[in-house]
Amino acid sequence: MEYRLRRYEKEAIRKEYKDHALYKAFAAPCKKYEVQSDDFYMSPEELFWECIGVLDDIKENPSESRFLMQGLWNEKFVDYQELSPNASRGEIEIAANMVTLCVAICLNSLDQSLYNTLTSIALGQLQGDGNALVEMREAFMSSIYKFGEERFNAVVVEYMDSDVFISEDITGLIEELPQFAESNSDTEGDTDYNLKAIAKVLSDNANSKSPVYLSDEKGAKIDIIRVLYVLYELGMFHGKDGAKLLKKDFFTAMGKAINKDLSNYDKDLSRSTSDSTALEKHLRIFVDMKKKMEEIWNSK
């Protein structure tokens, strides 16, 4: 989860996917845990987005799915801790458990040895009180039974066999929404707009598009991702007043600067490193940069 969804973003996702099997089956039990939380609220829309994102990663890179699944719980826990550093460990554990459990429930619908293995890996990562975990599983399974288990399973199977990637559609949906709030926090007043404020934001956004565009040359996108990734890892960037800058936020901002969606940088890198491409191909852009710098230096 790149950031906590704002209220109007939740409403947009709910309107678009309220009839989807995963959303309908997971919404009620998720709400139960949401109302019990004091600091970290995992909304049904966020749970749906998180689960569908993991499923998309699995079906896009099945050869990497075991590696992905082995670190799923830890990844979610760390992400949520960074998003809400003041939340209790227990509440963050509940959120990470919900996502991991719901992914396992979906994978269990698929009758293939790979998915059976992934289900076992996911379930083995759940943490916390055993009775609480049983109660959580029963809550979600009870909701699925009410929805219709066969119907739910059929939807999951159909989705995993399709070429559709809902996580990307949700990202696009959110990016198309007017950015009414100034921050990515889910504040109480983020839907308390007036017409003048909305008009001002729309006007500002209309004139704020970057004049820079990435080249359409083949390979330009993955090369700029490689370069930016290395610069980020070298510690060249940080947030306001030296604050830690999340990698996802960094690539989202860089993408806006060059009018290219880089929010799925990790998937692009994963594809480029899992296709048996030689290291030399990944280093080519850096070799070209070195040559260009030598040309610039020698031309002085």
Side-chain angles (χ1 to χ4, degrees):
M1 192 156 52
E2 297 179 18
Y3 62 88
R4 304 308 309 277
L5 289 173
R6 287 164 274 188
R7 189 169 302 174
Y8 68 92
E9 293 171 332
K10 295 176 188 176
E11 291 172 354
I13 294 173
R14 188 183 312 124
K15 181 179 179 181
E16 185 73 19
Y17 296 102
K18 65 181 185 299
D19 293 325
H20 194 282
L22 269 65
Y23 182 87
K24 292 188 74 171
F26 294 159
C30 179
K31 271 294 182 185
K32 168 189 172 184
Y33 286 97
E34 185 179 17
V35 299
Q36 294 176 358
S37 300
D38 294 319
D39 296 303
F40 192 90
Y41 310 88
M42 171 67 76
S43 69
E45 293 75 29
E46 290 168 327
L47 178 60
F48 175 68
W49 190 17
E50 288 283 75
C51 290
I52 210 73
V54 177
L55 295 180
D56 283 353
D57 287 342
I58 290 172
K59 74 174 183 175
E60 185 172 29
N61 291 298
S63 62
E64 300 291 319
S65 58
R66 287 182 176 85
F67 177 77
L68 167 70
M69 193 57 58
Q70 286 170 354
L72 178 62
W73 193 94
N74 287 337
E75 176 188 345
K76 297 306 176 186
F77 183 90
V78 172
D79 283 350
Y80 303 157
Q81 197 170 46
E82 288 182 344
L83 289 171
S84 298
N86 295 324
S88 68
R89 178 180 178 86
E91 289 188 356
I92 297 177
E93 277 188 355
I94 288 174
N97 282 339
M98 275 201 291
V99 173
T100 307
L101 174 62
C102 290
V103 169
I105 290 173
C106 292
L107 294 174
N108 195 50
S109 303
L110 305 163
D111 188 21
Q112 293 183 30
S113 59
L114 171 61
Y115 297 128
N116 293 335
T117 300
L118 296 180
T119 300
S120 298
I121 294 174
L123 292 176
Q125 295 177 59
L126 301 179
Q127 296 190 24
D129 178 73
N131 292 330
L133 292 175
V134 171
E135 180 182 332
M136 178 181 287
R137 184 180 185 281
E138 289 179 348
F140 280 98
M141 290 307 301
S142 176
S143 182
I144 289 174
Y145 294 148
K146 291 177 181 177
F147 178 83
E149 186 176 13
E150 290 186 3
R151 179 183 169 199
F152 177 87
N153 292 345
V155 170
V156 176
V157 171
E158 181 181 3
Y159 181 72
M160 294 301 285
D161 287 340
S162 73
D163 295 326
V164 177
F165 291 89
I166 292 180
S167 61
E168 295 180 2
D169 294 339
I170 292 177
T171 299
L173 174 67
I174 291 174
E175 289 179 348
E176 291 175 1
L177 294 173
Q179 300 300 300
F180 298 133
E182 293 202 358
S183 72
N184 283 336
S185 60
D186 190 17
T187 58
E188 186 66 26
D190 64 2
T191 55
D192 185 20
Y193 313 127
N194 58 60
L195 293 178
K196 289 183 179 180
I198 293 174
K200 182 180 185 305
V201 173
L202 290 175
S203 176
D204 291 345
N205 286 349
N207 298 317
S208 63
K209 191 169 184 178
S210 172
V212 180
Y213 289 82
L214 182 66
S215 169
D216 293 329
E217 184 178 348
K218 183 178 179 181
K221 180 180 178 181
I222 187 60
D223 276 342
I224 198 66
I225 288 175
R226 288 168 176 144
V227 172
L228 290 173
Y229 195 100
V230 170
L231 291 175
Y232 176 92
E233 291 294 335
L234 286 172
M236 301 290 287
F237 304 94
H238 57 72
K240 186 177 180 180
D241 298 326
K244 181 179 179 179
L245 181 62
L246 296 179
K247 196 173 293 181
K248 290 181 179 179
D249 293 340
F250 168 70
F251 272 96
T252 297
M254 291 298 102
K256 290 179 180 178
I258 59 175
N259 287 289
K260 180 69 69 171
D261 182 11
L262 301 181
S263 59
N264 292 316
Y265 70 93
D266 49 344
K267 295 181 182 178
D268 292 321
L269 279 176
S270 178
R271 277 193 294 266
S272 71
T273 56
S274 62
D275 61 359
S276 300
T277 301
L279 176 61
E280 287 74 15
K281 184 173 182 180
H282 298 286
L283 294 176
R284 186 178 302 156
I285 181 62
F286 301 100
V287 173
D288 291 344
M289 291 172 66
K290 179 176 179 292
K291 290 180 179 178
K292 179 56 65 176
M293 188 65 243
E294 290 173 347
E295 292 177 9
I296 295 171
W297 178 264
N298 293 328
S299 65
K300 293 191 301 181

